[in-house]
Amino acid sequence: MTTETPDVPGQLARQEELLRRARARATARTTTPATAPSGTDATATAPRGPAPLSHAQRRMWLMDRLGHAGASYSVPFATRVRGPLDIEALATALTVLVRRHEILRTCYGTRDGEPYQEVLEAPSAISVPVRDCAAEDAPALLADEARRGFDLATGPVLRALALRHGEQDHTVLLTFHHIAIDGGSLDTVARELTELYAAAVRDGHGGEVPERPRPPQYADFARGEHAAAAQAEQGLAHWVERLSGARAPRLPRPGTSSADAGIRHSGTHTVPLAEHLPEALRALGGEHRATLFTVALTAAFASLQRLTGDDDLVIGVAGTHRQGAAMRDLVGLCVNTLPVRVDASGDPAFTELLARVRDALLEAQRHRDVPFDLVLERLGAEARDADGTALVRVTSDVIGEPAILRLPDTVGEYVDVETGEAKFDLSFGLVASGQPAALVQYGRTALDDATAAALGTRYAALLEAVVAEPSLRLSQLPGVAAEHGTAAEHDGNRTEHDAHPAEELLRAHPRVADAHVAEPPGGPLLAYAVLRDSVGPTPYELRARLRAALAAESVPVAVTLLDALPRSPEGTVDPARLPGMPVAAAGRVAPEGPRAEAVVEGFTALLGRTPEPDDDFFALGGHSLVAVKLAERLRAALKLPLTGLDILQARTPRALTALLDAREGERTASGATLVTAHQRPSRPGTVLVTGGTGGVGAFILRELAAQGRPVLALARPESAHLVSGDGVEVIEGDLADPAALREAVAAADAVIHAACTFTSPEVDLAAMRAMVEGWRRGPFVFVSSVDAYGHPDGDQVAEESVPGEPLSPYGRAKLDCDALLLRAAGTEGRGGASAVRSPIVWGAHDRLRDQLRWGATGLLYQAAAEGRPIELPQPGTGGRGWYGAAWVHAAALARAVTACLDAPVHGVANAVSGHVSWRDLATDLTGLLGSASAITEKGEVHQDLDHCWHYDSHRLARPLRAQPGEDRRTVLAEMIDSGAGSAR
């Protein structure tokens, strides 16, 4: 069984990738993979090397790098399919589709700070996971799947899932990242999938699929756009002149945040329309040389004018680069935002406003080839308001018949998947097919639910009114006249006894015991929180919650975790004792110190101008890519956590310096001391620990602290606070940096190596080789895995038994690391070595909870959590009398590992708390989860349950002896109860 070995901070992404893959396996239990179809080589070409990103892709990539993408850039495509659905044929069709369209198998990297895209080899097969669920449960499952993130660096950018409601009733969901697809592409995808599915059903899943002409490829489009960039100067000049002086519409931000604003970021309000209304609106447009789209856009302008009271308005509409027959079958991101600026002054009649909108739209379309991102870069600070609000925050569209899968012998029905996020603050929509409707989608930090509902109702009423009487003036049309107070203005009305809204949200978090938001004179907002226990949200998770629920000006630049808020004798918070608070000074004195100097140097180097303390990043010519580069530069120079999104939100050198000061204060408050690899810890007996942020590592650090041993924890600088504590110093490094590993080991008197990449055995092996090279004294303990035994012949496995084939890549890497370590032990002054092989690790830690839910036991956990039947191998199947797993409590493993510092085993030792049969574990899980899952046994063995070995653990029996609360049932209850909020 795979051991849960923790990660160093530099490898967190790899462990998340492992969990992502495990979750995918968990949903694929009933999947039959499609075999690679023949006869398709004409449509799949070998990768042709890196290509630049198109401007639209660049925006998506930047949002991903800034950490600001979220589910708003997922494109879910779902169809309810009634009738016989052949899952294997669908998988075959998907495989061919991905072979044909390279953009669906493209990954994204960076070289010298610039992004590029590169096509991966065509997959031999794509599987379609199948999950059983009732139809009424489908919306939540579809939304969860659509919200799952993508890794653009590794791919894939397409996921498939089929929900089975009945024998002939399914919902098929394809989820794409927006960087690879747009609305026009979905029509091509739906059409080709239907044709390829029909061919697979007709000719057999692995049979001949007729060759089809090779479609245009998106990388060629991106190369062409890149080559033509120099020709956009005239168009750019037009847009700069056209948008000069334009401002984002003033939407009436809610004064207080909704209770669930941090969970549900957007809302949609839909109002049904009479069936005749779209045609009546189309006829109205025909009378005034306008299309239905232009009429709907005019209605959006009229509604926005009534809402804001502003006459100079900008609304964005979607343009496309997909022109001509040659691009008809192109799959990719070909959309381009067109900002339409209209003068609504003078209380014009609707027909007069229609003429103004028509002319403005035609002018915008004449310059549609200029990428909007180039326009934003040229506009600089003019592209945003003083508070950072984007110029295009309101959009309008006419929604036609959605794309669906129309598979042979089935009936397809469109399914709307609600992700809970919106790309823009406000979007007007006219549904012109099927059941007509008017709708508004809105971000809940821009509009409150009541205002949005009223706006949607009045927008629908306005559409009906202009059909009945087109000559009505704006002032006579239905509309919502809202107050224009912002969240900041509401904050200004608070009394000294009122809490800041950010403070209220922090206090409302179930894991937060106390919170305070400080507003230093002339400085940015700073937040402080006290957690109820040591296992809770990180500062960045808390700030993300605030960012999702509050207007930008109400979000503190940093959240610092404290053990307790410093208070005066009267019980009020003492701001002078809060870390990171700026020192009071008369006037607006320029920030000083190394962080302030680094900020100014970074601004100067990347923007070509030495900034004043309050100069705006955008006014100096900054944009998203510069923000990413500036964050990377400051992060490397100051060893503090910083993202491009932080740059975009701070904007001025003064605010950015204050943010960095707060982050330094947070690190200081945490007790983490960062030392360089060349510094020798002054405390004798210092133990180097890798993997301190993982589940096992956290328990090891806790045990070392209880023993009073000085600790040197390996971490990246920005993660120092995650492994901090009394007696803990932090040294910079991670598994991918052999030189840092060698120097870190050389700086310690003993080593506990508990880190692992899980998914890159070559990195794990190179890391062990570097650590052994740096090891010159004291004991070395390696947290290995029972996977190093492979598949032994017997059912009882003695310590240091010879491994049996097959070994997984993970297990072989552990075995090779064990050998490297043990061969070096006792040579050149080195101390004794211990390779502690552990099985599944259980304990109250989020990483270990994830392993329970999605790792080796994920098959059982997910079935129990969903109430599905649990099928187990019957004892005796395959000649094995028992099927189950070994496990160890994380606290017991920590005691065993630290015991090896004083008494090395000079070899391999197993660390096992007990063994549990699959039936007993399934019974425990169903009972603790309150599940009605039926447990049955059969004469087949699922690959995830093909485990039948008992491991001896005599060498470390004393430290492994169970303490109170370390029995199996108790630890499982702790893991399930503490993680219940995210377990289901």
Side-chain angles (χ1 to χ4, degrees):
M1 307 302 293
T2 303
T3 306
E4 196 284 333
T5 42
D7 234 335
V8 295
Q11 304 301 325
L12 294 180
R14 290 191 178 95
Q15 183 159 349
E16 293 302 321
E17 172 65 10
L18 173 70
L19 295 175
R20 183 186 67 77
R21 294 178 185 177
R23 292 185 179 101
R25 288 199 310 271
T27 60
R29 306 303 185 191
T30 57
T31 300
T32 303
T35 56
S38 57
T40 60
D41 291 344
T43 66
T45 61
R48 293 168 294 158
L53 271 60
S54 71
H55 289 284
Q57 283 183 310
R58 190 184 184 92
R59 169 59 46 182
M60 299 297 166
W61 177 82
L62 281 168
M63 290 298 100
D64 185 77
R65 286 294 296 272
L66 291 170
H68 200 53
S72 58
Y73 294 101
S74 290
V75 180
F77 170 40
T79 304
R80 182 82 174 264
V81 179
R82 291 182 171 88
L85 177 63
D86 188 328
I87 294 295
E88 292 188 29
L90 180 60
T92 298
L94 270 174
T95 302
V96 178
L97 181 81
V98 173
R99 289 173 63 85
R100 282 176 51 77
H101 298 282
E102 295 173 352
I103 190 64
L104 300 181
R105 48 186 170 93
T106 293
C107 63
Y108 302 84
T110 56
R111 183 176 293 115
D112 299 326
E114 287 294 320
Y116 66 87
Q117 58 184 310
E118 190 163 21
V119 179
L120 302 175
E121 294 287 348
S124 59
I126 292 179
S127 296
V128 179
V130 179
R131 295 184 66 179
D132 292 315
C133 85
E136 58 269 21
D137 297 331
L141 290 174
L142 294 173
D144 286 345
E145 174 65 13
R147 292 189 192 106
R148 282 206 297 130
F150 290 90
D151 186 344
L152 297 184
T154 61
V157 292
L158 162 63
R159 297 193 299 263
L161 175 66
L163 300 181
R164 181 164 50 208
H165 316 307
E167 185 176 347
Q168 295 197 359
D169 187 5
H170 297 76
T171 297
V172 175
L173 172 65
L174 305 180
T175 307
F176 304 84
H177 192 286
H178 203 358
I179 200 170
I181 205 162
D182 58 13
S185 303
L186 287 180
D187 293 329
T188 299
V189 167
R191 184 182 69 253
E192 290 197 6
L193 268 181
T194 297
E195 296 169 357
L196 293 167
Y197 175 89
V201 171
R202 181 181 63 249
D203 301 326
H205 308 138
E208 293 287 332
V209 175
E211 288 190 5
R212 303 165 59 89
R214 183 176 184 269
Q217 299 299 329
Y218 190 84
D220 296 329
F221 165 78
R223 291 187 179 97
E225 184 187 77
H226 189 75
Q231 304 171 16
E233 189 58 41
Q234 184 177 355
L236 276 172
H238 160 79
W239 282 115
V240 170
E241 180 181 359
R242 177 64 181 155
L243 297 175
S244 177
R247 291 292 177 263
R250 299 178 304 137
L251 300 181
R253 282 174 173 154
T256 58
S257 61
S258 302
D260 62 345
I263 303 170
R264 188 167 62 90
H265 303 162
S266 72
T268 302
H269 187 71
T270 304
V271 180
L273 298 174
E275 290 188 7
H276 74 278
L277 197 63
E279 284 306 314
L281 292 168
R282 196 187 309 275
L284 172 61
E287 296 171 4
H288 297 271
R289 297 182 297 115
T291 63
L292 173 63
F293 182 91
T294 308
V295 175
L297 177 58
T298 304
F301 270 107
S303 295
L304 187 60
Q305 196 279 336
R306 296 302 312 280
L307 177 68
T308 65
D310 295 337
D311 292 331
D312 185 4
L313 297 169
V314 176
I315 291 182
V317 300
T320 180
H321 296 301
R322 193 179 278 104
Q323 305 291 330
M327 295 181 68
R328 183 174 300 136
D329 292 333
L330 176 64
V331 172
L333 184 60
C334 296
V335 294
N336 187 35
T337 300
L338 300 181
V340 181
R341 186 179 186 182
V342 169
D343 178 5
S345 64
D347 195 19
F350 184 83
T351 51
E352 170 59 26
L353 183 62
L354 176 60
R356 298 181 192 181
V357 172
R358 179 196 62 213
D359 293 345
L361 179 60
L362 288 173
E363 182 182 40
Q365 289 174 335
R366 281 194 292 270
H367 297 88
R368 65 177 177 267
D369 292 334
V370 181
F372 183 56
D373 286 271
L374 285 183
V375 177
L376 292 179
E377 289 185 15
R378 182 63 60 88
L379 286 171
E382 287 193 73
R384 292 178 179 268
D385 280 353
D387 66 353
T389 302
L391 178 61
V392 176
R393 62 185 310 207
V394 181
T395 65
S396 176
D397 200 1
V398 172
I399 304 167
E401 185 175 353
I404 62 172
L405 292 177
R406 304 182 186 277
L407 305 179
D409 302 320
T410 69
V411 175
E413 176 187 346
Y414 170 74
V415 176
D416 183 39
V417 180
E418 179 58 58
T419 62
E421 298 197 25
K423 297 181 182 68
F424 299 93
D425 286 339
L426 175 62
S427 296
F428 293 92
L430 170 62
V431 179
S433 62
Q435 173 56 58
L439 62 85
V440 293
Q441 185 185 51
Y442 57 100
R444 301 178 82 216
T445 60
L447 291 176
D448 60 41
D449 296 334
T451 302
L455 180 62
T457 301
R458 299 299 176 84
Y459 174 54
L462 189 150
L463 291 170
E464 294 172 348
V466 299
V467 166
E469 183 50 71
S471 61
L472 289 173
R473 295 189 176 275
L474 282 183
S475 60
Q476 299 172 309
L477 292 172
V480 176
E483 298 179 2
H484 298 288
T486 65
E489 291 165 348
H490 284 279
D491 291 350
N493 294 328
R494 296 197 323 272
T495 70
E496 62 179 351
H497 302 291
D498 293 332
H500 189 280
E503 185 175 316
E504 293 178 342
L505 276 174
L506 288 173
R507 290 178 183 276
H509 194 290
R511 295 286 185 87
V512 174
D514 201 359
H516 177 70
V517 171
E519 304 178 68
L525 293 172
L526 300 173
Y528 302 86
V530 177
L531 300 182
R532 296 189 183 279
D533 52 53
S534 59
V535 181
T538 67
Y540 315 108
E541 290 170 337
L542 290 174
R543 188 164 181 270
R545 177 186 177 94
L546 299 179
R547 196 167 58 235
L550 297 173
E553 63 270 22
S554 296
V555 178
V557 297
V559 177
T560 301
L561 296 182
L562 302 176
D563 292 332
L565 290 175
R567 296 189 179 275
S568 67
E570 292 75 26
T572 59
V573 175
D574 183 357
R577 294 159 56 200
L578 288 171
M581 284 287 286
V583 177
R588 299 281 284 174
V589 179
E592 297 180 349
R595 289 177 289 280
E597 293 172 1
V599 168
V600 171
E601 290 171 0
F603 267 71
T604 303
L606 295 175
L607 297 173
R609 293 174 55 185
T610 301
E612 294 297 322
D614 298 304
D615 279 351
D616 185 90
F617 173 78
F618 295 105
L620 294 172
H623 50 79
S624 299
L625 184 57
V626 174
V628 170
K629 292 180 177 179
L630 179 57
E632 292 173 349
R633 178 189 181 101
L634 292 174
R635 192 165 58 239
L638 300 174
K639 312 305 182 187
L640 289 169
L642 194 69
T643 68
L645 187 59
D646 291 328
I647 304 293
L648 297 182
Q649 292 179 335
R651 298 181 60 164
T652 68
R654 186 188 303 279
L656 185 55
T657 301
L659 169 62
L660 292 168
D661 287 344
R663 299 253 165 106
E664 176 62 30
E666 176 187 325
R667 184 164 67 187
T668 301
S670 72
T673 304
L674 186 69
V675 300
T676 67
H678 300 290
Q679 291 175 307
R680 174 76 174 88
S682 58
R683 300 169 299 171
T686 295
V687 182
L688 173 70
V689 177
T690 68
T693 60
V696 172
F699 278 85
I700 289 174
L701 289 176
R702 192 179 305 167
E703 180 65 24
L704 290 170
Q707 297 177 15
R709 295 180 188 259
V711 173
L712 188 63
L714 189 80
R716 285 189 171 182
E718 59 268 27
S719 302
H721 59 287
L722 298 177
V723 293
S724 63
D726 292 339
V728 176
E729 292 181 306
V730 182
I731 191 167
E732 181 179 355
D734 65 36
L735 293 190
D737 188 349
L741 287 173
R742 279 191 289 269
E743 293 180 346
V745 172
D749 297 311
V751 178
I752 295 178
H753 181 29
C756 177
T757 68
F758 281 92
T759 57
S760 299
E762 69 283 357
V763 173
D764 293 326
L765 196 56
M768 176 60 86
R769 188 175 292 112
M771 294 181 75
V772 168
E773 290 170 357
W775 179 30
R776 285 295 178 269
R777 62 180 175 275
F780 194 128
V781 187
F782 176 47
V783 182
S784 185
S785 169
V786 295
D787 280 23
Y789 290 115
H791 286 62
D793 290 335
D795 294 340
Q796 196 71 29
V797 182
E799 291 165 306
E800 290 195 294
S801 290
V802 176
E805 294 293 344
L807 270 79
S808 66
Y810 171 85
R812 189 171 297 281
K814 290 293 187 185
L815 182 65
D816 292 343
C817 286
D818 290 349
L820 268 174
L821 176 65
L822 297 176
R823 281 198 301 267
T827 65
E828 301 181 19
R830 300 180 178 101
S834 307
V836 180
R837 294 181 179 175
S838 72
I840 299 170
V841 184
W842 287 337
H845 190 281
D846 284 345
R847 285 294 185 81
L848 302 179
R849 293 186 187 100
D850 277 342
Q851 289 292 327
L852 174 68
R853 293 196 287 266
W854 303 106
T857 55
L859 177 70
L860 303 184
Y861 187 97
Q862 293 302 317
E866 296 166 13
R868 291 187 282 109
I870 299 176
E871 295 182 343
L872 305 174
Q874 186 174 8
T877 303
R880 305 286 191 178
W882 178 88
Y883 285 95
W887 68 277
V888 64
H889 195 288
L893 176 59
R895 291 195 301 273
V897 167
T898 56
C900 294
L901 295 175
D902 297 322
V905 297
H906 304 292
V908 173
N910 298 337
V912 178
S913 293
H915 297 80
V916 57
S917 70
W918 293 136
R919 173 169 279 280
D920 287 344
L921 180 56
T923 301
D924 288 345
L925 292 175
T926 53
L928 292 168
L929 290 166
S931 171
S933 294
I935 302 174
T936 60
E937 295 179 339
K938 61 179 184 177
E940 298 177 9
V941 184
H942 190 284
Q943 61 180 5
D944 285 6
L945 303 179
D946 190 12
H947 193 275
C948 56
W949 297 283
H950 284 70
Y951 301 94
D952 294 339
S953 54
H954 303 303
R955 293 180 174 177
L956 296 173
R958 183 180 295 275
L960 287 169
R961 188 174 302 152
Q963 301 295 319
E966 291 181 3
D967 60 283
R968 184 186 78 234
R969 180 83 178 184
T970 298
V971 68
L972 287 173
E974 289 176 346
M975 296 172 76
I976 291 173
D977 291 344
S978 299
S982 57
R984 305 236 180 159

